[in-house]
Amino acid sequence: MNVPHIRDYQGKHIHMIGIGGSSMSGLAQMLLEKGYHISGSDNLETYTTRHLRDDLHIPVTIGHRAENVHGADLVVYTIAILPDNPERVELERLGLPSIERATLLGQLMEGYSTAIGVCGAHGKTTTTSMLSQVLMECGMDPSIHIGGSLDFIGGSTRIGKSGTFVAEACEFNASFLHLRPTVAVVLNIDADHLDFYRDIDHIQETFGKFLALLPENGVAIGNGDDARIMRLFESLTCRRLTFGIDKPCDYMPLNLTYDEFGHASFDFSFRGQPLGHIDLEVPGSFQVYNALAALACAHSQLASMDMACHAMNEFKGAHRRFEHTATIEDVKLYHDYGHNPTEMRNVLSVAKLQPHNRLWAVMQPHTFSRVKRLFNDYLTCTQAADITLVTDIYAAREKDPGDIKASQIVEGMRAHGVNAIHTPTFDDTESYLRAHWQPGDLVLTMGCGNINQLNDQIAAHEQQK
């Protein structure tokens, strides 16, 4: 079966199911700028869908209905849109050509002499954002696709005029295998998306397939402190570069220190020779790895290290990555996209360092399958917080199997000494927070579902008051 190619639909009507997603919304904007006529649908009204409709004038329908695909020449859908979705059922009935989101991204990257894919279980969006800002400041004019929003480029995508394309390469459902990278940046390999992968070995094997896509003259840049990545590097015949902190690597931080809020300072070095000084504005030890990866990639592309280090020192972070959203009643509200126990533990270690009275962790568990496979890790990942609120599990693409509930997480947390409370809905959570928070507290909401809308809801209610 021939897969449709986006180049054959230039100037035609492209309908995007799930257009409100971070990646899909960016691709919609990119296609719009390339002259395609775009429409879309999503199941929820969000800031993103409003932006697409109000600012970019893309017709966006809320709710999935069969008639949404009528008149489309090509339909693009995300992997989260299941075959029984009424729009997918209708496009099959009508015989409309369709492709999955990752296939579209891979097709858009074709023709670029330098195609950079940033992958890993954690840190993809931040590292891709760092690299994008660095390359732009260095005058390299890249095209960009990020699975998030970066103020520096005014969103999640950018069409440049050079032969360089920078993209976040997501391992979910092995979607990054649709890309054709010439440069691969591998941040880490960890257990996640276990609704698709058999186990951690299956995940490692798939990352190996992604690296195998590199041409002989390509470049692989990997975390030298990650044993699984280093095992994969052993079989590569292309150029290999490593970054890390604990073991000897090509790129390392010299004289690494942290301030009281967790911001790192270090001399960025290549094989022992300093290339520039870094003072990060984004806190956390994990951000050192992200910065090393981005700078290593920029150096491999012959970017000016003076300009690259200056750009890194100016990096303020991407949206939904430990983002301060509001201060209400002298309580600081933050949000982070972290949605598995490792990411939540990491961001709470950063929040703990910020000035605060009590630290609140508000967790929205993401997908039933992830909670079941990583259940024991969820029970202790918020131990750094004084109080943990747990909302109901965000189903995303899944149906409720009926055998796992948020209340079970709360019960297990309490058994491990965590002060946890089940607040099923956003209204329940906001009511509990407002009734119990105190001036000087810090509230951190965490999850990759729609939990960020809780921050918006609290801020909107405050404005109404």
Side-chain angles (χ1 to χ4, degrees), residues 323-328 331-334 455 458-459:
E323 179 182 11
H324 178 225
T325 61
T327 299
I328 296 172
V331 175
K332 290 185 177 180
L333 273 65
Y334 285 79
N455 295 56
I458 294 174

Side-chain angles (χ1 to χ4, degrees), residues 211-290:
L211 287 169
L213 297 173
L214 289 168
E216 279 294 317
N217 63 346
V219 184
I221 302 169
N223 183 345
D225 293 337
D226 190 307
R228 290 185 177 274
I229 294 175
M230 289 300 94
R231 284 199 288 273
L232 294 178
F233 268 39
E234 292 173 1
S235 62
L236 296 180
T237 56
C238 64
R239 186 182 179 199
R240 295 165 292 178
L241 296 168
T242 59
F243 62 89
I245 300 174
D246 299 328
K247 298 176 182 178
C249 294
D250 294 310
Y251 298 94
M252 298 191 71
L254 304 179
N255 307 311
L256 175 61
T257 60
Y258 296 89
D259 68 14
E260 66 270 31
F261 304 124
H263 300 98
S265 295
F266 59 90
D267 295 314
F268 176 63
S269 72
F270 177 60
R271 296 174 182 168
Q273 298 300 311
L275 300 177
H277 184 73
I278 299 298
D279 293 307
L280 289 178
E281 291 198 24
V282 286
S285 58
F286 52 91
Q287 298 288 15
V288 177
Y289 281 99
N290 295 338

Side-chain angles (χ1 to χ4, degrees), residues 295-310:
L295 289 169
C297 185
H299 185 252
S300 77
Q301 300 306 302
L302 306 180
S304 162
M305 282 298 100
D306 285 342
M307 298 176 73
C309 291
H310 177 266

Side-chain angles (χ1 to χ4, degrees), residues 359-374:
L359 175 57
W360 295 73
V362 181
M363 172 203 295
Q364 184 186 53
H366 192 264
T367 70
F368 302 100
S369 59
R370 177 181 282 114
V371 172
K372 289 168 74 170
R373 296 294 291 269
L374 301 177

Side-chain angles (χ1 to χ4, degrees), residues 135-189:
L135 294 182
M136 284 184 62
E137 289 276 33
C138 290
M140 301 179 75
D141 197 17
S143 294
I144 298 164
H145 179 71
I146 302 170
S149 181
L150 177 65
D151 284 342
F152 191 83
I153 64 172
S156 61
T157 60
R158 177 183 187 271
I159 299 177
K161 295 182 173 61
S162 74
T164 299
F165 196 121
V166 179
E168 182 174 333
C170 183
E171 77 280 9
F172 172 61
N173 274 42
S175 63
F176 59 178
L177 298 185
H178 291 279
L179 308 184
R180 291 297 178 265
T182 63
V183 181
V185 181
V186 191
L187 303 173
N188 41 64
I189 296 176

